[in-house]
Amino acid sequence: LCVLALDRFGDYVSDQVVAPVRETASQALGVVLRTLPMVCLPSVLACLTKLTQHEWWEVRHGGMLGLKYLTAVRTEAVQPSLVSVLSLISAGIQDDDDDVRAVAAEAAL
């Protein structure tokens, strides 16, 4: 989660940013989330919520990547918080930054 919040590296390819460090960290988070006890998942979601609401687009991007993998690997964990998760994704789709919008759209799938 710290890497998602602190990484600022982005490689611009065509119209989208490629953020290999944030992407790899969020994939690793997805692997960890598969084995994490259900009782710990609300804390992870709370951290990702804070990241998606940060003022810097890189932090919002990292939070949205984490949310994307959380929703992909632990769908049962998202069910109790579905309204708030959908609200975060909706806010991401309306973000000022197009890279955050793109990841939010991927998370919605």
Side-chain angles (χ1 to χ4, degrees), residues 5-20:
L6 297 173
D7 178 54
R8 300 285 179 270
F9 176 73
D11 189 11
Y12 294 90
V13 178
S14 71
D15 288 344
Q16 274 192 318
V17 68
V18 177

Side-chain angles (χ1 to χ4, degrees), residues 10-108:
D11 189 11
Y12 294 90
V13 178
S14 71
D15 288 344
Q16 274 192 318
V17 68
V18 177
V21 175
R22 286 191 296 271
E23 183 67 38
T24 303
S26 53
Q27 288 174 2
L29 177 63
V31 171
V32 170
L33 288 172
R34 282 187 175 178
T35 61
L36 205 61
M38 187 73 153
V39 69
C40 298
L41 295 176
S43 298
V44 174
L45 182 58
C47 289
L48 292 174
T49 298
K50 288 181 183 179
L51 295 180
T52 60
Q53 297 170 342
H54 198 274
E55 65 179 289
W56 296 339
W57 77 267
E58 296 97 340
V59 178
R60 292 193 310 272
H61 186 256
M64 210 44 80
L65 282 168
L67 192 61
K68 172 182 145 181
Y69 285 98
L70 172 64
T71 58
V73 300
R74 293 300 293 263
T75 53
E76 79 284 358
V78 175
Q79 295 297 341
S81 308
L82 189 58
V83 173
S84 62
V85 169
L86 290 177
S87 174
L88 292 172
I89 291 172
S90 176
I93 290 173
Q94 298 172 19
D95 197 272
D96 292 337
D97 186 80
D98 57 340
D99 298 312
V100 175
R101 288 193 307 262
V103 175
E106 291 173 4

